[in-house]
Amino acid sequence: MVVTVIGIIRAHNLFAVVMLGGIYSFLMATVLVVLDAVDVAMTEAAVGAGMSTVLLLAVLHLTRTREAPLRHAPVIPLLICLLTGGALVYGTLDLPPFGQPDNPQNLHVAPYYLENSIEETKSPNVVTAVLASYRGFDTLGEVAVIFSAGIGVLILLSRRRRREMVVEDEGRSRK
Amino acid sequence: MNEFLADLNYWVTIFLLVGGLYIITAHGNMVKKLVGLAIFQSSVYLLFISPGKILGGTAPIIAPGFDVYSNPLPHVLILTAIVVGVATIALGLAIVVRIHEAYGTIEDDEVHDLEAD
């Protein structure tokens, strides 16, 4: 994944960037399977590698596929990134050890879900039970976000179609 | 060695996050910026999922013969985050298409020049 990201930073052909993005998403899905998050891995492979790649390719079809070279040396962005990275590495030193069952994040509500979800929701898949039942309002909010994003995309793209029609009409009336 | 491997997880996450941030800040091409945003977001997925893993555990699907399951809560949160992320990118791409129609370019600097003229 690290190599793919370096490739994305260096590539100037946007087509290659999008393809590397797809590879990156599949690698991410594989890592998620290793980390026991099978549902998330499936979603990442379908949505991250599938849908976003298709959307990006559609946009490349509508625009252009070469990136202009950088105009000035990226000193300030590099500095910001190094500072952020340094702060985050400093932060990892205090995080609990990897993969231990008695870490604080594994002692909160997760044991309750694991013990009771099969009685309360009859679903053997705990992720589904939590998503649809215990945290159904989160999912409702997610649906609201997708709905508003869809409306936004429709508004942005339909205005253009209307204007094209107006231009066509003007062309016709001139003839 | 084990400790090093445990921290490696976080370091890869941090590298991905910083790489995404670098693409967003340093590159002027808007499609590339959005790919950088996607990388930034997915590094956060990794940051959430990897503490939920329990060594020796299995995926949180209740089945006879398994006692230790990984933490299901981050998985749920990240499922929501992935879908929201794609919605964000779709909206961003729609805006890029509109910018390309209005200015004929998808480069930050060139749009800036056209505005200045």
Side-chain angles (χ1 to χ4, degrees), chain B residues 24-72:
Chain B
I24 295 173
T25 47
H27 287 266
N29 188 295
M30 290 172 193
V31 173
K32 197 158 178 179
K33 268 183 202 281
L34 283 170
V35 175
L37 188 67
I39 292 172
F40 192 92
Q41 284 171 340
S42 55
S43 78
V44 178
Y45 309 159
L46 206 58
L47 180 71
F48 265 67
I49 298 281
S50 68
K53 163 80 179 167
I54 292 174
L55 288 177
T58 179
I61 298 172
I62 308 284
F66 296 105
D67 288 330
V68 184
Y69 300 102
S70 288
N71 192 343

Short mmCIF file of all heavy atoms in Angstrom, two decimals, chain B residues 24-72:
data_model
loop_
_atom_site.label_atom_id
_atom_site.label_comp_id
_atom_site.label_asym_id
_atom_site.label_seq_id
_atom_site.Cartn_x
_atom_site.Cartn_y
_atom_site.Cartn_z
N ILE B 24 -3.23 16.21 -1.26
CA ILE B 24 -4.26 17.25 -1.22
C ILE B 24 -3.63 18.63 -1.23
O ILE B 24 -4.07 19.53 -1.95
CB ILE B 24 -5.15 17.07 0.03
CG1 ILE B 24 -5.92 15.77 -0.05
CG2 ILE B 24 -6.13 18.23 0.16
CD1 ILE B 24 -6.67 15.44 1.20
N THR B 25 -2.56 18.83 -0.44
CA THR B 25 -2.03 20.19 -0.31
C THR B 25 -1.09 20.56 -1.45
O THR B 25 -1.10 21.69 -1.91
CB THR B 25 -1.28 20.35 1.02
OG1 THR B 25 -0.41 19.24 1.19
CG2 THR B 25 -2.24 20.41 2.17
N ALA B 26 -0.28 19.61 -1.93
CA ALA B 26 0.78 20.00 -2.87
C ALA B 26 0.32 19.97 -4.31
O ALA B 26 0.83 20.74 -5.12
CB ALA B 26 1.98 19.08 -2.70
N HIS B 27 -0.62 19.10 -4.68
CA HIS B 27 -0.96 18.96 -6.09
C HIS B 27 -2.12 19.86 -6.47
O HIS B 27 -3.04 20.07 -5.68
CB HIS B 27 -1.29 17.50 -6.42
CG HIS B 27 -0.06 16.64 -6.43
ND1 HIS B 27 0.62 16.37 -7.58
CD2 HIS B 27 0.60 16.03 -5.44
CE1 HIS B 27 1.67 15.61 -7.29
NE2 HIS B 27 1.68 15.39 -5.99
N GLY B 28 -2.05 20.40 -7.68
CA GLY B 28 -3.07 21.34 -8.10
C GLY B 28 -4.20 20.71 -8.87
O GLY B 28 -5.25 21.30 -9.04
N ASN B 29 -4.00 19.49 -9.35
CA ASN B 29 -5.03 18.85 -10.16
C ASN B 29 -6.16 18.34 -9.27
O ASN B 29 -5.92 17.64 -8.29
CB ASN B 29 -4.40 17.68 -10.92
CG ASN B 29 -5.36 17.11 -11.91
OD1 ASN B 29 -6.38 16.55 -11.52
ND2 ASN B 29 -5.06 17.24 -13.18
N MET B 30 -7.39 18.69 -9.62
CA MET B 30 -8.48 18.43 -8.69
C MET B 30 -8.86 16.96 -8.61
O MET B 30 -9.23 16.47 -7.54
CB MET B 30 -9.69 19.26 -9.09
CG MET B 30 -9.45 20.73 -8.84
SD MET B 30 -10.73 21.74 -9.48
CE MET B 30 -9.96 23.33 -9.37
N VAL B 31 -8.73 16.23 -9.73
CA VAL B 31 -9.02 14.78 -9.66
C VAL B 31 -8.01 14.11 -8.75
O VAL B 31 -8.35 13.26 -7.92
CB VAL B 31 -8.99 14.18 -11.08
CG1 VAL B 31 -9.12 12.67 -11.00
CG2 VAL B 31 -10.11 14.74 -11.92
N LYS B 32 -6.74 14.54 -8.87
CA LYS B 32 -5.72 13.94 -8.02
C LYS B 32 -5.95 14.31 -6.56
O LYS B 32 -5.74 13.50 -5.67
CB LYS B 32 -4.35 14.41 -8.48
CG LYS B 32 -3.23 13.55 -7.95
CD LYS B 32 -1.99 13.66 -8.77
CE LYS B 32 -0.91 12.82 -8.17
NZ LYS B 32 0.32 12.86 -8.94
N LYS B 33 -6.40 15.53 -6.33
CA LYS B 33 -6.74 15.93 -4.96
C LYS B 33 -7.80 15.00 -4.39
O LYS B 33 -7.73 14.61 -3.22
CB LYS B 33 -7.27 17.36 -4.96
CG LYS B 33 -6.24 18.43 -4.74
CD LYS B 33 -6.95 19.77 -4.70
CE LYS B 33 -6.03 20.90 -5.02
NZ LYS B 33 -5.20 21.29 -3.90
N LEU B 34 -8.79 14.63 -5.20
CA LEU B 34 -9.87 13.77 -4.69
C LEU B 34 -9.35 12.37 -4.40
O LEU B 34 -9.76 11.73 -3.43
CB LEU B 34 -11.03 13.73 -5.68
CG LEU B 34 -11.88 15.00 -5.64
CD1 LEU B 34 -12.86 15.02 -6.78
CD2 LEU B 34 -12.63 15.07 -4.33
N VAL B 35 -8.42 11.86 -5.26
CA VAL B 35 -7.82 10.57 -4.96
C VAL B 35 -7.05 10.65 -3.64
O VAL B 35 -7.11 9.73 -2.81
CB VAL B 35 -6.89 10.12 -6.12
CG1 VAL B 35 -6.17 8.85 -5.75
CG2 VAL B 35 -7.69 9.90 -7.38
N GLY B 36 -6.35 11.78 -3.43
CA GLY B 36 -5.66 11.98 -2.16
C GLY B 36 -6.61 11.98 -0.99
O GLY B 36 -6.34 11.40 0.06
N LEU B 37 -7.77 12.61 -1.19
CA LEU B 37 -8.79 12.62 -0.13
C LEU B 37 -9.25 11.21 0.19
O LEU B 37 -9.43 10.85 1.36
CB LEU B 37 -9.96 13.48 -0.58
CG LEU B 37 -11.04 13.77 0.45
CD1 LEU B 37 -10.48 14.64 1.54
CD2 LEU B 37 -12.23 14.43 -0.19
N ALA B 38 -9.40 10.38 -0.87
CA ALA B 38 -9.83 8.99 -0.64
C ALA B 38 -8.78 8.24 0.17
O ALA B 38 -9.11 7.47 1.09
CB ALA B 38 -10.06 8.30 -1.99
N ILE B 39 -7.48 8.47 -0.15
CA ILE B 39 -6.42 7.80 0.60
C ILE B 39 -6.43 8.25 2.05
O ILE B 39 -6.33 7.45 2.98
CB ILE B 39 -5.05 8.09 -0.06
CG1 ILE B 39 -4.98 7.41 -1.41
CG2 ILE B 39 -3.92 7.63 0.83
CD1 ILE B 39 -3.79 7.79 -2.19
N PHE B 40 -6.60 9.55 2.25
CA PHE B 40 -6.68 10.11 3.60
C PHE B 40 -7.79 9.43 4.39
O PHE B 40 -7.60 8.98 5.53
CB PHE B 40 -6.94 11.62 3.46
CG PHE B 40 -6.77 12.41 4.72
CD1 PHE B 40 -5.56 12.98 5.01
CD2 PHE B 40 -7.81 12.58 5.58
CE1 PHE B 40 -5.39 13.72 6.15
CE2 PHE B 40 -7.65 13.32 6.73
CZ PHE B 40 -6.44 13.88 7.02
N GLN B 41 -8.95 9.31 3.75
CA GLN B 41 -10.08 8.68 4.44
C GLN B 41 -9.80 7.23 4.76
O GLN B 41 -10.10 6.76 5.87
CB GLN B 41 -11.33 8.77 3.55
CG GLN B 41 -11.95 10.15 3.53
CD GLN B 41 -13.03 10.26 2.50
OE1 GLN B 41 -13.09 9.47 1.55
NE2 GLN B 41 -13.87 11.25 2.64
N SER B 42 -9.22 6.50 3.81
CA SER B 42 -9.06 5.06 4.08
C SER B 42 -7.99 4.82 5.12
O SER B 42 -8.01 3.78 5.79
CB SER B 42 -8.77 4.30 2.79
OG SER B 42 -7.68 4.85 2.16
N SER B 43 -7.04 5.78 5.29
CA SER B 43 -6.09 5.60 6.39
C SER B 43 -6.83 5.66 7.72
O SER B 43 -6.47 4.98 8.68
CB SER B 43 -5.01 6.67 6.32
OG SER B 43 -5.50 7.88 6.83
N VAL B 44 -7.89 6.47 7.78
CA VAL B 44 -8.68 6.53 9.01
C VAL B 44 -9.42 5.21 9.23
O VAL B 44 -9.57 4.76 10.37
CB VAL B 44 -9.66 7.72 8.96
CG1 VAL B 44 -10.51 7.78 10.20
CG2 VAL B 44 -8.89 9.01 8.81
N TYR B 45 -9.85 4.56 8.13
CA TYR B 45 -10.47 3.24 8.30
C TYR B 45 -9.50 2.31 9.02
O TYR B 45 -9.87 1.60 9.95
CB TYR B 45 -10.85 2.58 6.98
CG TYR B 45 -11.66 3.38 6.00
CD1 TYR B 45 -11.69 3.05 4.66
CD2 TYR B 45 -12.43 4.46 6.43
CE1 TYR B 45 -12.43 3.76 3.76
CE2 TYR B 45 -13.17 5.19 5.52
CZ TYR B 45 -13.15 4.84 4.19
OH TYR B 45 -13.87 5.55 3.29
N LEU B 46 -8.26 2.32 8.52
CA LEU B 46 -7.25 1.42 9.11
C LEU B 46 -7.01 1.78 10.57
O LEU B 46 -6.89 0.89 11.43
CB LEU B 46 -5.96 1.55 8.31
CG LEU B 46 -5.03 0.36 8.32
CD1 LEU B 46 -5.75 -0.85 7.80
CD2 LEU B 46 -3.83 0.64 7.46
N LEU B 47 -6.99 3.09 10.86
CA LEU B 47 -6.76 3.52 12.24
C LEU B 47 -7.86 3.01 13.17
O LEU B 47 -7.61 2.66 14.32
CB LEU B 47 -6.71 5.05 12.28
CG LEU B 47 -6.48 5.68 13.65
CD1 LEU B 47 -5.06 5.43 14.08
CD2 LEU B 47 -6.76 7.15 13.62
N PHE B 48 -9.10 2.94 12.68
CA PHE B 48 -10.19 2.48 13.52
C PHE B 48 -10.21 0.96 13.63
O PHE B 48 -10.50 0.42 14.69
CB PHE B 48 -11.54 2.95 12.95
CG PHE B 48 -12.03 4.22 13.56
CD1 PHE B 48 -11.34 5.40 13.34
CD2 PHE B 48 -13.16 4.24 14.34
CE1 PHE B 48 -11.78 6.57 13.90
CE2 PHE B 48 -13.61 5.42 14.90
CZ PHE B 48 -12.93 6.59 14.67
N ILE B 49 -9.95 0.28 12.51
CA ILE B 49 -10.13 -1.18 12.50
C ILE B 49 -9.01 -1.86 13.27
O ILE B 49 -9.25 -2.83 14.00
CB ILE B 49 -10.18 -1.71 11.06
CG1 ILE B 49 -11.37 -1.11 10.31
CG2 ILE B 49 -10.26 -3.22 11.03
CD1 ILE B 49 -12.69 -1.72 10.59
N SER B 50 -7.77 -1.36 13.14
CA SER B 50 -6.66 -2.14 13.68
C SER B 50 -6.67 -2.24 15.21
O SER B 50 -6.29 -3.28 15.73
CB SER B 50 -5.32 -1.64 13.14
OG SER B 50 -5.02 -0.39 13.63
N PRO B 51 -7.14 -1.25 16.00
CA PRO B 51 -7.23 -1.50 17.44
C PRO B 51 -8.33 -2.50 17.80
O PRO B 51 -8.30 -3.08 18.88
CB PRO B 51 -7.54 -0.14 18.05
CG PRO B 51 -7.22 0.84 17.01
CD PRO B 51 -7.44 0.16 15.72
N GLY B 52 -9.32 -2.67 16.90
CA GLY B 52 -10.41 -3.59 17.20
C GLY B 52 -10.03 -5.05 17.03
O GLY B 52 -10.74 -5.94 17.49
N LYS B 53 -8.92 -5.29 16.34
CA LYS B 53 -8.47 -6.68 16.14
C LYS B 53 -7.98 -7.26 17.47
O LYS B 53 -7.26 -6.60 18.22
CB LYS B 53 -7.34 -6.67 15.12
CG LYS B 53 -6.49 -7.91 15.07
CD LYS B 53 -7.16 -8.99 14.29
CE LYS B 53 -6.25 -10.22 14.25
NZ LYS B 53 -6.95 -11.40 13.76
N ILE B 54 -8.39 -8.47 17.76
CA ILE B 54 -7.88 -9.16 18.94
C ILE B 54 -7.09 -10.37 18.45
O ILE B 54 -7.60 -11.17 17.66
CB ILE B 54 -9.04 -9.60 19.85
CG1 ILE B 54 -9.70 -8.36 20.47
CG2 ILE B 54 -8.54 -10.51 20.95
CD1 ILE B 54 -10.93 -8.65 21.26
N LEU B 55 -5.85 -10.49 18.90
CA LEU B 55 -4.99 -11.58 18.45
C LEU B 55 -5.63 -12.91 18.83
O LEU B 55 -6.06 -13.10 19.96
CB LEU B 55 -3.60 -11.46 19.07
CG LEU B 55 -2.75 -10.32 18.52
CD1 LEU B 55 -1.44 -10.25 19.28
CD2 LEU B 55 -2.49 -10.49 17.05
N GLY B 56 -5.69 -13.83 17.87
CA GLY B 56 -6.34 -15.11 18.13
C GLY B 56 -7.84 -15.07 17.96
O GLY B 56 -8.49 -16.10 18.08
N GLY B 57 -8.39 -13.90 17.71
CA GLY B 57 -9.83 -13.79 17.53
C GLY B 57 -10.22 -14.05 16.09
O GLY B 57 -9.37 -14.21 15.21
N THR B 58 -11.54 -14.09 15.85
CA THR B 58 -12.02 -14.29 14.50
C THR B 58 -13.06 -13.23 14.18
O THR B 58 -13.38 -12.40 15.03
CB THR B 58 -12.62 -15.71 14.36
OG1 THR B 58 -13.11 -15.85 13.04
CG2 THR B 58 -13.74 -15.93 15.34
N ALA B 59 -13.55 -13.24 12.94
CA ALA B 59 -14.52 -12.22 12.54
C ALA B 59 -15.77 -12.30 13.40
O ALA B 59 -16.16 -13.39 13.81
CB ALA B 59 -14.88 -12.41 11.07
N PRO B 60 -16.40 -11.16 13.73
CA PRO B 60 -17.52 -11.18 14.67
C PRO B 60 -18.80 -11.75 14.08
O PRO B 60 -19.80 -11.05 13.95
CB PRO B 60 -17.67 -9.70 15.07
CG PRO B 60 -17.10 -8.96 13.94
CD PRO B 60 -16.04 -9.79 13.33
N ILE B 61 -18.76 -13.00 13.71
CA ILE B 61 -19.97 -13.72 13.28
C ILE B 61 -20.10 -14.90 14.23
O ILE B 61 -19.22 -15.78 14.25
CB ILE B 61 -19.86 -14.19 11.82
CG1 ILE B 61 -19.71 -12.98 10.90
CG2 ILE B 61 -21.08 -15.02 11.45
CD1 ILE B 61 -19.41 -13.34 9.48
N ILE B 62 -21.15 -14.90 15.05
CA ILE B 62 -21.27 -15.90 16.11
C ILE B 62 -21.44 -17.28 15.48
O ILE B 62 -22.33 -17.51 14.66
CB ILE B 62 -22.50 -15.59 17.00
CG1 ILE B 62 -22.46 -14.16 17.50
CG2 ILE B 62 -22.57 -16.58 18.15
CD1 ILE B 62 -21.51 -13.89 18.59
N ALA B 63 -20.55 -18.19 15.86
CA ALA B 63 -20.63 -19.55 15.33
C ALA B 63 -20.11 -20.49 16.41
O ALA B 63 -19.25 -20.09 17.21
CB ALA B 63 -19.78 -19.69 14.06
N PRO B 64 -20.66 -21.71 16.46
CA PRO B 64 -20.14 -22.65 17.46
C PRO B 64 -18.69 -22.99 17.18
O PRO B 64 -18.26 -23.09 16.03
CB PRO B 64 -21.05 -23.87 17.29
CG PRO B 64 -21.66 -23.72 15.95
CD PRO B 64 -21.74 -22.27 15.67
N GLY B 65 -17.93 -23.14 18.25
CA GLY B 65 -16.53 -23.49 18.10
C GLY B 65 -15.59 -22.30 18.20
O GLY B 65 -14.39 -22.49 18.23
N PHE B 66 -16.14 -21.08 18.25
CA PHE B 66 -15.29 -19.90 18.38
C PHE B 66 -15.70 -19.13 19.63
O PHE B 66 -16.88 -18.97 19.90
CB PHE B 66 -15.42 -18.98 17.17
CG PHE B 66 -14.94 -19.60 15.90
CD1 PHE B 66 -15.83 -20.05 14.94
CD2 PHE B 66 -13.58 -19.76 15.69
CE1 PHE B 66 -15.38 -20.64 13.78
CE2 PHE B 66 -13.13 -20.35 14.53
CZ PHE B 66 -14.03 -20.80 13.57
N ASP B 67 -14.71 -18.71 20.39
CA ASP B 67 -15.01 -17.97 21.61
C ASP B 67 -14.56 -16.52 21.54
O ASP B 67 -15.18 -15.64 22.12
CB ASP B 67 -14.32 -18.64 22.81
CG ASP B 67 -15.00 -19.94 23.17
OD1 ASP B 67 -16.22 -20.02 22.94
OD2 ASP B 67 -14.31 -20.86 23.64
N VAL B 68 -13.45 -16.28 20.85
CA VAL B 68 -12.88 -14.92 20.83
C VAL B 68 -13.24 -14.26 19.50
O VAL B 68 -12.95 -14.81 18.44
CB VAL B 68 -11.35 -14.99 21.00
CG1 VAL B 68 -10.79 -13.59 21.08
CG2 VAL B 68 -11.00 -15.78 22.23
N TYR B 69 -13.89 -13.12 19.59
CA TYR B 69 -14.25 -12.38 18.38
C TYR B 69 -13.61 -11.01 18.44
O TYR B 69 -13.45 -10.43 19.51
CB TYR B 69 -15.77 -12.22 18.28
CG TYR B 69 -16.51 -13.53 18.21
CD1 TYR B 69 -17.15 -14.03 19.33
CD2 TYR B 69 -16.53 -14.27 17.04
CE1 TYR B 69 -17.81 -15.23 19.28
CE2 TYR B 69 -17.18 -15.48 16.98
CZ TYR B 69 -17.82 -15.96 18.10
OH TYR B 69 -18.47 -17.15 18.04
N SER B 70 -13.28 -10.47 17.25
CA SER B 70 -12.77 -9.10 17.22
C SER B 70 -13.91 -8.13 17.52
O SER B 70 -15.08 -8.48 17.43
CB SER B 70 -12.15 -8.80 15.87
OG SER B 70 -10.95 -9.50 15.74
N ASN B 71 -13.51 -6.90 17.86
CA ASN B 71 -14.46 -5.89 18.28
C ASN B 71 -15.36 -5.48 17.10
O ASN B 71 -14.85 -4.97 16.11
CB ASN B 71 -13.66 -4.69 18.78
CG ASN B 71 -14.51 -3.69 19.51
OD1 ASN B 71 -15.71 -3.72 19.40
ND2 ASN B 71 -13.87 -2.83 20.25
N PRO B 72 -16.67 -5.68 17.17
CA PRO B 72 -17.51 -5.35 16.01
C PRO B 72 -17.82 -3.87 15.86
O PRO B 72 -18.22 -3.42 14.80
CB PRO B 72 -18.80 -6.14 16.28
CG PRO B 72 -18.86 -6.23 17.75
CD PRO B 72 -17.45 -6.28 18.24
#
